[in-house]
Amino acid sequence: MILIIIAVAVIAVYVYSKYDRTYNYWKRKGVPQLQPVFFYGDAKDFLDGKICEAENTMNYYKKFKARGLRFGGVYNEKRPEWVPVDPELIKTITTKDYEYFDLHFRNIRKTLFFNNLFHMRGDEWRNMRRKLTPVFTTGKMKMMFDTLADKADGLSVLMHDLKKRQKPVELKGISMRYTTDIIGSCGFGIECNSLKDETSEFYVQGQKLFNQTSVKPTLLQKIARFINVLPSTAQLAVGNLENFFREVVRDTLKYREDNKVVRKDFMHLMIQLKNKGTITEISNADDDVYDKTVNEDGIGFEELAGQVLLFFTAGFETSSTTMSFALLQLTQHPDIQEKMREEARRIFKKFGGKFTYEGVQEMNYIECVVKETLRMYPPLAILPRVCTRNYRIPNTDVIIEKDTSLRISVWGLHTDPEYFPEPLKFNPDRFSPENKHKINPHAYIPFGDGPRQCLGMRFALLESKLGLAVLLKDFNFSLHKTTAYPPKYVVNNYIPTVEGGVLLNVTKVD
Ligand code: HEM
Ligand SMILES: *[C@@H]1O[C@H](CO)[C@@H](O)[C@H](O)[C@H]1NC(C)=O
Ligand SMILES: *[C@@H]1O[C@H](CO)[C@@H](O)[C@H](O)[C@H]1NC(C)=O
Ligand SMILES: *[C@@H]1O[C@H](CO)[C@@H](O)[C@H](O)[C@H]1NC(C)=O
């Protein structure tokens, strides 16, 4: 009996001291920390389902900032994570000292969805980045514009149709169908027609990707994760979807090889990369790409499929989120909405009654609205980095240990009154030619910063501006009573997402 009591006491003391050590990691290093609690660390509000992860991370930023700190340390459950706060320090991490932080997430198994540029590091990343950069030049954007314009027409047709039904319209879903059709066509070379048909398989599978990653972990899974026996739940959940998308890419590739198809899209550029090892302009004579034996410098099928899928996952949710948050804000600001409408109509007329690539470049006000939306609602509200070599924080003696994850709160920076006066006010004029020089470029990072910056930035701006111009040219949007404003966020989405969708009243404007 006494032996059992002693054994229990020893175990209790051992567990206590271990977790006491765990939650004093930062303190021991001389890095300020918050008040972690056992099991949850500093993520209790998030893990209890009260707020989303991005809000929880924004709270770290605010708490450290309120104490006048340049950085702090937190615990994600029991894992220590470093939270840089000062934009100058963040700039150093993402640019000058990039070599120490050349990875986005830890412990990613390289299955199809994760075998891509976003998850690479070192030379593997550098080579792939060099190969993919030509995919996103101005010339290539222009080349793909016809496809974008075609999908924008589809968006307009759908809205006219929905308007007739006299019912409120859910604009997040509509925006997703638009961005899915664009990336389906430009990326995979398939017409998935989700604007015409919301049961389109491609669209349904794409939605699952984000629905599944947002499935709330069960208690058992939480505990399993806590003691490190499960890889991230996100990665488990998408496993089944990988086969669907791999087959889509395989079919497209086979069809193109059999028929020597030359199409002006991402897929063709990736075929060039696979068979020739480099990307060039696409000409009609380009069907010789299929005669090439696989080049030494070329990429393999899995690599090709991996990058194409990255364009999809990186693009469709982020851009549609941006469009729907812009519309949500516009219901609160009819004057801004009217100004956008005037610009859209003026440019539409100027370019012969259609939206052209050049026309979209002239949409300066609409661009300010998109940029302000990305300030208030950055889709990647937490910029992830992993420290890949021991790093001494500049001007301190603190060493950040290899393998430590970082949480840069983009949302925190973007809503910090020091950098954006009246941060909760939606004010596109912050980005006007007269005002934009006042913005600290390192406090505004919706597309990240440094060598790792978003490759699809211009593509994203192009499709978001075009989509909004098409919607606003003919329609007026106001808040439907069931949509909460300010919005509440879906708790388990990494990308801030409005709970219940963005349901709006739509009227036609003559
Ligand atoms: C509004 C829409 C978008 C936002 C807010 C966004 C934001 C971001 C951010 C924050 C990163 C990480 C940057 C860093 O670590 O410093 C990123 C990476 C990336 N994005 Fe985007 N993105 C958007 C749309 C797109 C689109 C449409 C594409 C492609 C068609 C795309 C392709 C990529 C790629 C390939 C990377 C990985 C870059 C690398 O690791 O080297 N993004 N994006
Ligand atoms: C994804 O989630 C939304 C909202 O929870 C739901 O309406 C939709 O049907 C889901 N889609 C799929 C394909 O599961
Ligand atoms: C748009 O709707 C709002 C609110 O219903 C209304 O005040 C405004 O006049 C409308 N604008 C146009 C151009 O129809
Ligand atoms: C939105 O539409 C509903 C039903 O059509 C209508 O009752 C309501 O007044 C509209 N709200 C606004 C703000 O226009």
Side-chain angles (χ1 to χ4, degrees), residues 445-456:
I445 49 171
F447 294 103
D449 207 353
R452 217 57 207 241
Q453 203 182 43
C454 176
L455 252 187

Side-chain angles (χ1 to χ4, degrees), residues 359-396:
V360 178
Q361 301 313 305
E362 283 187 27
M363 293 177 184
N364 296 327
Y365 189 68
I366 294 176
E367 181 156 321
C368 292
V369 172
V370 171
K371 287 183 171 161
E372 177 68 345
T373 305
L374 288 168
R375 180 189 70 80
M376 277 186 85
Y377 308 103
L380 248 72
I382 309 165
L383 189 63
R385 287 282 188 279
V386 178
C387 179
T388 49
R389 295 192 226 168
N390 282 359
Y391 179 70
R392 195 173 62 79
I393 306 176
N395 309 319
T396 71

Side-chain angles (χ1 to χ4, degrees), residues 99-149:
E99 299 295 319
Y100 294 83
F101 303 98
D102 65 345
L103 182 65
H104 279 129
F105 289 108
R106 297 172 65 248
N107 290 346
I108 297 289
R109 280 179 308 140
K110 291 282 172 75
T111 61
L112 187 61
F113 277 128
F114 303 89
N115 183 10
N116 60 44
L117 184 70
F118 191 84
H119 293 293
M120 290 174 179
R121 58 169 299 223
D123 287 339
E124 193 190 20
W125 168 78
R126 205 176 331 268
N127 285 332
M128 188 57 84
R129 176 97 186 182
R130 183 175 46 75
K131 284 180 179 161
L132 291 180
T133 299
V135 173
F136 295 93
T137 60
T138 308
K140 305 293 189 318
M141 297 297 105
K142 270 192 197 164
M143 178 187 87
M144 277 179 264
F145 189 79
D146 285 349
T147 305
L148 267 68

Side-chain angles (χ1 to χ4, degrees), residues 329 333 336 365 368-369 371-373 375-376 420-432 435 439:
Q329 274 298 335
H333 300 279
I336 297 174
Y365 189 68
C368 292
V369 172
K371 287 183 171 161
E372 177 68 345
T373 305
R375 180 189 70 80
M376 277 186 85
F420 299 96
E422 293 188 80
L424 300 184
K425 191 170 160 204
F426 187 78
N427 177 13
D429 290 333
R430 293 178 207 272
F431 294 92
S432 71
N435 292 333
I439 293 173

Side-chain angles (χ1 to χ4, degrees), residues 3 96 141 202 290 330 343 404 433 467:
L3 274 182
K96 185 168 136 294
M141 297 297 105
F202 195 88
Y290 296 108
L330 291 174
E343 182 174 78
T404 308

Side-chain angles (χ1 to χ4, degrees), residues 2 20 52 62 67 71 78 96 128 152 191 214 225 255 335 364 389 395 401 428 431 456 463 466 471 497:
I2 288 177
D20 189 53
C52 68
K62 287 186 177 153
R67 285 158 65 182
F71 55 83
K78 67 179 173 148
K96 185 168 136 294
M128 188 57 84
E191 299 305 322
S214 70
R225 196 168 59 183
Y255 179 81
D335 51 328
N364 296 327
R389 295 192 226 168
N395 309 319
E401 284 174 80
F431 294 92
E463 67 177 329
L466 176 65
L471 291 174
T497 308

Side-chain angles (χ1 to χ4, degrees), residues 239-447:
N240 325 335
L241 288 173
E242 295 190 324
N243 288 335
F244 171 80
F245 284 102
R246 184 184 286 108
E247 289 316 309
V248 169
V249 176
R250 204 191 299 284
D251 289 350
T252 306
L253 203 60
K254 176 153 188 342
Y255 179 81
R256 290 195 180 192
E257 278 167 357
D258 289 351
N259 298 286
K260 297 200 169 192
V261 177
V262 177
R263 198 166 172 275
K264 296 187 170 178
D265 57 17
F266 286 134
M267 180 63 87
H268 193 82
L269 298 171
M270 299 314 290
I271 293 172
Q272 288 183 343
L273 208 50
K274 174 169 164 290
N275 292 359
K276 295 200 292 194
T278 55
I279 282 174
T280 55
E281 295 304 317
I282 300 179
S283 74
N284 290 337
D286 210 42
D287 55 356
D288 71 351
V289 69
Y290 296 108
D291 303 332
K292 295 266 177 337
T293 47
V294 175
N295 183 297
E296 230 175 56
D297 208 24
I299 61 173
F301 171 78
E302 280 287 307
E303 270 185 300
L304 177 147
Q307 313 318 314
V308 171
L309 264 170
L310 172 62
F311 299 158
F312 178 54
T313 51
F316 98 104
E317 181 78 359
T318 47
S319 303
S320 57
T321 297
T322 307
M323 285 173 64
S324 56
F325 273 118
L327 290 165
L328 182 68
Q329 274 298 335
L330 291 174
T331 65
Q332 305 303 300
H333 300 279
D335 51 328
I336 297 174
Q337 194 176 146
E338 196 50 43
K339 207 168 156 186
M340 286 172 82
R341 187 171 295 119
E342 274 163 21
E343 182 174 78
R345 292 183 160 197
R346 179 172 56 74
I347 289 173
F348 185 78
K349 220 185 264 160
K350 179 174 168 188
F351 288 87
K354 58 179 184 207
F355 287 123
T356 61
Y357 179 84
E358 287 71 25
V360 178
Q361 301 313 305
E362 283 187 27
M363 293 177 184
N364 296 327
Y365 189 68
I366 294 176
E367 181 156 321
C368 292
V369 172
V370 171
K371 287 183 171 161
E372 177 68 345
T373 305
L374 288 168
R375 180 189 70 80
M376 277 186 85
Y377 308 103
L380 248 72
I382 309 165
L383 189 63
R385 287 282 188 279
V386 178
C387 179
T388 49
R389 295 192 226 168
N390 282 359
Y391 179 70
R392 195 173 62 79
I393 306 176
N395 309 319
T396 71
D397 292 328
V398 180
I399 305 285
I400 299 295
E401 284 174 80
K402 179 172 179 295
D403 274 349
T404 308
S405 296
L406 275 63
R407 271 177 191 263
I408 299 172
S409 179
V410 178
W411 219 356
L413 287 167
H414 285 190
T415 54
D416 185 334
E418 184 180 340
Y419 312 117
F420 299 96
E422 293 188 80
L424 300 184
K425 191 170 160 204
F426 187 78
N427 177 13
D429 290 333
R430 293 178 207 272
F431 294 92
S432 71
E434 310 85 74
N435 292 333
K436 67 177 179 206
H437 68 275
K438 293 180 207 154
I439 293 173
N440 176 344
H442 303 292
Y444 180 71
I445 49 171
F447 294 103

